[in-house]
Amino acid sequence: MDLSPNPDRGKSEAPEVEIPSELRLPDEIRRLKRERGAILLAHYYQDSEIQDLADHLGDSLQLARAAAKAEAPVIVFCGVHFMAEVAKILNPKSIVVLPDLEAGCSLADSCPPDAFRAWRSRHEGAVAVSYINCSAEVKALSDVICTSSNAERIVRSLPADETVLFAPDRHLGAWVARRTGRELVLWPGTCVVHEQFSERELVRLQASHPEAEVIAHPECEAAVLARADFIGSTTALLRRVAESRTREFIVATEAGIFHQMERAAPGKTLLPALGDGGCACNVCPHMKRNTLAKLYLALRDLAPRIELPEATRLGAAAAVERMFELSEPPRA
Ligand code: 13P
Ligand code: SF4
């Protein structure tokens, strides 16, 4: 099996999408996956057609665990850049490809490594907990990583007399601070999608759907979270829709997850939370950079690849492994 990259596909270059029209992309992707011995990991915010081809679907923590366990020579990661980096951090022997290298994240972008290093040095002796939505360099400068599903547990595990820095999501950090009663020093980052959800529009929706349960991702701002009946990671929100007796939900997270929610709870009504002026702004532009055509090209060319300096990878791996030690075993 030839696993050499296509030399014509530059590292930072966006793939050119020239695909013969007669190709049935889902069939071609399945065929290439078999030929390459590749596995496809996808986040719930990917387009439904990509989700339907995935070997593992999940939230950030589940995908990190799946990447760590993977024995495939190739991991195709359909998510954003920091998620694919985590796959490479935990599984350096595998080739990790991301269909669009420009698939970033506003949280990771808000936290450049030099600024993070300077921030840490202004809080000597403090422990730095970083949300997984940050670059590998920032991970390597952190003591422990967390995700939305274990942030509270990780912070609770730290000695009460320690000063805790939390980066880069100030809304998640503030939520963890309220939950744990700990004072956290927060980096001022936000998610461009979750910060759009408007409390005013939520109140309006609740008035017209009084039976609906409000479920929200902790990246939403405090005023929205204060109105939520349930707060959790993408996987926790999906489970809630499936397991709750409620038939109607107002969902304050990215639109991609509706695909699995509809599957897990057919017949239940899912209403997207809205932004100011009623805008349907619950789509992550970064996640949506990956398309079926780019996925096909990524498998065909084994590019673009995620590569990391070994020192950065080792530093980041230590902080991610610390997260695994401090977080719950996965729920069956
Ligand atoms: P989850 O880990 O809950 O899937 O969140 C990832 C993310 O990017 C949310 O915006
Ligand atoms: Fe980043 Fe927000 Fe997109 Fe999640 S939804 S990947 S936090 S920009």
Side-chain angles (χ1 to χ4, degrees):
M1 181 184 0
D2 179 16
L3 296 181
S4 54
N6 178 342
D8 299 332
R9 292 281 301 281
K11 195 168 168 254
S12 61
E13 153 208 339
E16 275 177 32
V17 185
E18 311 156 347
I19 293 171
S21 56
E22 70 278 9
L23 282 188
R24 266 211 81 241
L25 285 176
D27 292 344
E28 287 302 306
I29 289 165
R30 283 191 199 94
R31 178 183 66 76
L32 281 169
K33 248 178 357 116
R34 271 195 307 276
E35 271 180 35
R36 302 294 199 187
I39 57 161
L40 172 54
L41 307 188
H43 188 266
Y44 292 126
Y45 294 168
Q46 292 295 285
D47 283 334
S48 50
E49 54 197 7
I50 292 180
Q51 293 189 34
D52 291 348
L53 290 165
D55 298 295
H56 295 279
L57 258 180
D59 65 16
S60 309
L61 184 62
Q62 291 170 320
L63 293 174
R65 285 197 160 113
K69 277 201 290 196
E71 282 170 9
V74 178
I75 297 173
V76 188
F77 205 106
C78 285
V80 289
H81 192 272
F82 77 81
M83 294 179 176
E85 273 189 345
V86 171
K88 187 70 185 175
I89 288 165
L90 296 172
N91 200 331
K93 289 202 290 292
S94 296
I95 292 168
V96 177
V97 294
L98 175 64
D100 190 328
L101 264 196
E102 307 294 321
C105 169
S106 66
L107 284 167
D109 293 347
S110 80
C111 193
D114 286 347
F116 181 82
R117 189 186 288 106
W119 186 61
R120 271 213 82 164
S121 66
R122 289 198 294 278
H123 297 89
E124 213 182 309
V127 55
V129 180
S130 292
Y131 188 32
I132 199 163
N133 296 40
C134 65
S135 65
E137 290 93 330
V138 167
K139 287 185 177 74
L141 294 166
S142 305
D143 296 303
V144 56
I145 303 307
C146 70
T147 75
S148 56
S149 54
N150 61 21
E152 181 181 339
R153 187 183 178 96
I154 302 270
V155 168
R156 280 191 196 282
S157 74
L158 302 171
D161 58 348
E162 270 184 347
T163 302
V164 179
L165 308 183
F166 191 96
D169 187 355
R170 71 182 168 89
H171 294 312
L172 173 66
W175 177 70
V176 171
R178 291 194 296 280
R179 298 278 307 168
T180 59
R182 293 213 40 173
E183 215 175 293
L184 306 181
V185 183
L186 303 178
W187 182 271
T190 55
C191 161
V192 280
V193 179
H194 290 87
E195 72 171 352
Q196 304 262 358
F197 296 126
S198 144
E199 186 200 6
R200 189 201 302 236
E201 294 296 335
L202 185 52
V203 171
R204 252 201 266 267
L205 259 180
Q206 282 181 296
S208 54
H209 299 271
E211 302 298 321
E213 191 174 305
V214 178
I215 61 172
H217 195 279
E219 290 172 10
C220 297
E221 62 181 26
V224 169
L225 295 179
R227 296 193 171 273
D229 301 296
F230 183 85
I231 298 168
S233 71
T234 49
T235 296
L237 298 181
L238 175 57
R239 280 204 180 113
R240 181 69 183 182
V241 168
E243 291 172 2
S244 164
R245 288 171 179 273
T246 309
R247 307 292 308 165
E248 203 175 19
F249 297 86
I250 298 171
V251 183
T253 196
E254 212 270 352
I257 189 122
F258 282 66
H259 184 50
Q260 297 305 321
M261 287 179 173
E262 281 158 6
R263 224 174 233 181
K268 291 195 180 179
T269 303
L270 305 171
L271 305 159
L274 302 170
D276 272 327
C279 95
C281 31
N282 59 346
V283 174
C284 175
H286 307 290
M287 286 279 180
K288 274 21 184 203
R289 289 187 76 99
N290 296 320
T291 60
L292 223 44
K294 290 178 193 172
L295 169 56
Y296 163 76
L297 292 174
L299 271 162
R300 189 193 69 182
D301 299 344
L302 291 183
R305 294 185 184 187
I306 302 287
E307 307 285 2
L308 290 168
E310 187 60 2
T312 304
R313 192 194 71 74
L314 287 171
V320 176
E321 296 292 350
R322 183 107 182 89
M323 167 181 80
F324 288 145
E325 283 160 28
L326 297 177
S327 53
E328 287 171 282
R331 207 177 118 174

